[in-house]
Amino acid sequence: MSPLDLGIDLRRLPAPLPVWHGTVEGAAWTATARAVAEQGGRLVSMWGVDRGAGGAGSACGVSACAAFAVSAGLVWVELPIDDAARGFPDLAQLFPCTTRMQRAMADLSGLHAQGSHDARPWLDHGLWAPGPAPLQHGADPRPAAAGTLPADYPFVRVQGEGVHEIAVGPVHAGIIEPGHFRFSVVGEKVLRLEQHLGYVHKGIERRFTELPPLEAHRLAGRVSGDSTVAGAWAYCMALESAWGCAVPERASWLRALMLERERVANHLGDLGALGNDAALAFGLAQFSRLREDWQRLSNQAFGHRFMMDAVVPSGVATDLPLAQRDALRRQCDEVEREVRRLRQVYDGHAGLQDRFMTTGRVTPELAARLGLTGLAGRASGQASDLRCDHDWQPYRRLNTHMATQDAGDVAARVAVRFDEVFESLRLIRELCAGLPAGDCAAALQAPGGHARGAGWVEGWRGEILVALETAADGRLQRCHVHDPSWQNWPVLEHAVIGNIVPDFPLINKSFNLSYSGHDL
C-alpha cells in the first residue's frame, strides 16, 4: 500500500525508515483510518498535541495525531481541533486497540473521542487535582491533596449462576510493577478478565518538554528499562530526522549490535521464567546463568549491563575495540550451543509442553482484528518486523529472517523466542565481522524554526515509536513515546478466556508486557 493511496497530501520526513506526515480536516480523519484498515494497514499509536499560541517560526494550535503502519512505511496524520470542542472522531470501530489510547489522550491532553463507547478515565485514578490536563499548554502540575484515596474503578460485572470475581493486584507477590487484574470465573475457568493499569504513571511525556533535546534520549531509554536501547534509538532517530542529521554508518551498525544484544538478553530471561512458571526450575537456573554472563559482557563492551545511555543523538557514546568484538562473537557461539541443547530439553519435556500447548491461544484472525503486534503478533501469524519490512540500515544488508508461528499459544510464543535468539546471534556475528570504519557520532544542532521527526524501531517486544516536535528556539515542544504494550495488553484479556486461573501467570509471562512503558 502506498501512502498516496490514502488520498491526502503527505510530506516525506527525512527519517531512516519511510515516514510521511500530513494534515487532514473533518471527515478525512475517519476516511484515512478506514482506507488504512481496508488495505491491511495497522494503527501504531495515537496522541494529542497542544502547542498553545506558538511564536515566530513555531506551529500552534491543538491537534489529534495518529500513526499508521502501511506496507510502504509509517503515515503520521494530524487533525487540527477547534479548541472549544476539544474532540475528534472515535476510531475504535476500525482499530479496537485505540480505545485505551483515546482514554489516555483525554486524561493527558484533554482531547475526547466523540462517540466512544468507553469514556472512563484510564491513567487518572481519581487522584489528579482539578484543572487543565497535564499536557495542555500552560498547565501547572497539581499534586493531589494529602490523604486522597483512588476513586473506585467501574469494572464491567459478569453475572450468572456460579460466577464470582477474583481480584489480583495491583500489588503483586513478585518483584513486578503494579497492575490490577479482575477475573470473572466459574470454578477455575476464566469467563472474563479486565485490567486496570496506570499505577506507575510518571508524567514522562510532560517531563520531555522540560529537558534539552540533546539530553532527553536518557529519559527515552528509561521509559521501559528492558528496552533502553530501542527507546533511546527511537528518540535519537526522531530528533535526527527533525534536525536533518545523517548518522555515521559505523554508529548505525553499533546501534544495531546493541539492539540485538538487548533482544537476546530479554529472550533468555523470558525463556527461563516461562520454564519456571511451568514448574521447570532447571530452565530458570540455566537461562538465568546465560543471561547474567551475557549482561556482564555487555557491561564490559558498552559500559552498562543494559547498555543504558550508549545510544546518543547523532551516534553512539562509545566505540567497540577489536578485542571486544572478538569476545562478543565467541560468546555468541557459546550461547548458541547451550540454547540449542536447552531447546531440546524444552521441546522434549512432556510436562512443559502440556502446560505450553493450546494455553492462552490467540488465533491469527483475532490477532489481526485486535492489532496484536511484535513478538506476540508474530506468534499468531502476524508477519511484521521492521528489520525485515523496510529498507533500514544496517538490516537491509543482513537479510534478517523473521520468526513466525501460527498457533498463537504459549508454545508458539516460546518457539518465536528461541528462533529470534538464534537469528540475533547470527546478526551479532555479522555486525561484528562487518563493522565499517568511520566516526561514531556526527554534529547535530537545531535548524531554527518548527521541526518534527519520527523514530520507529523494532524492539524485542515489538515496534517502538517516538514522534517529536521542536519549537523555533530548539526546545522540545512535544515528545510522544509509544510502547507496543498498548496494543497487546487488551489482547491478553482475550487470551486468558476459557483457560484456568492458575495458567494466567504463564500466559501473562508469555506476553511479558511493560507496565512502565504503558503508564506514561
Side-chain angles (χ1 to χ4, degrees), residues 99-100 102-108 112 118-128 151-154 194-198:
T99 298
R100 293 182 181 179
Q102 293 176 161
R103 291 166 64 185
M105 287 174 67
D107 289 345
L108 294 175
H112 298 270
D118 190 350
R120 294 174 294 175
W122 183 240
L123 295 177
D124 181 2
H125 290 195
L127 296 174
W128 298 4
D152 288 336
Y153 186 73
E194 187 173 2
Q195 304 154 355
H196 188 207
L197 305 178

Side-chain angles (χ1 to χ4, degrees), residues 12 72 79 90 152 200 219-220 252 263 280 294 303 341 356 379 387 398 428 450 492 505 511 516:
R12 172 79 184 259
L79 173 68
D90 174 31
D152 288 336
V200 285
L219 179 58
S252 294
R263 195 181 316 277
L280 186 66
W294 188 263
R341 287 199 293 268
F356 285 177
R387 299 174 298 166
L398 301 175
I428 292 169
H450 175 263
L492 179 61
F511 282 82
S516 183

Side-chain angles (χ1 to χ4, degrees), residues 242-328:
W243 288 5
C245 172
V247 177
E249 187 179 18
R250 185 178 181 88
S252 294
W253 282 61
L254 288 171
R255 287 178 175 183
L257 176 58
M258 288 186 277
L259 186 68
E260 296 309 314
R261 287 193 65 85
E262 181 171 83
R263 195 181 316 277
V264 171
N266 282 288
H267 287 347
L268 292 176
D270 281 356
L271 288 168
L274 283 161
N276 191 59
D277 280 355
L280 186 66
F282 167 82
L284 176 63
Q286 297 304 314
F287 279 108
S288 296
R289 172 179 58 84
L290 292 174
R291 183 180 181 183
E292 176 62 23
D293 290 343
W294 188 263
Q295 290 181 308
R296 288 184 181 185
L297 187 54
S298 291
N299 185 48
Q300 294 173 22
F302 299 104
H304 195 284
R305 289 168 57 85
F306 297 100
M307 299 163 289
M308 193 166 281
D309 299 331
V311 177
V312 299
S314 81
V316 294
T318 182
D319 202 352
L320 187 66
L322 180 60
Q324 291 290 354
R325 274 185 276 162
D326 292 340
L328 296 182

Side-chain angles (χ1 to χ4, degrees), residues 345-358:
V345 172
Y346 272 46
D347 290 348
H349 194 289
L352 204 64
Q353 292 304 310
D354 181 63
R355 293 291 307 279
F356 285 177
M357 295 181 69
T358 73

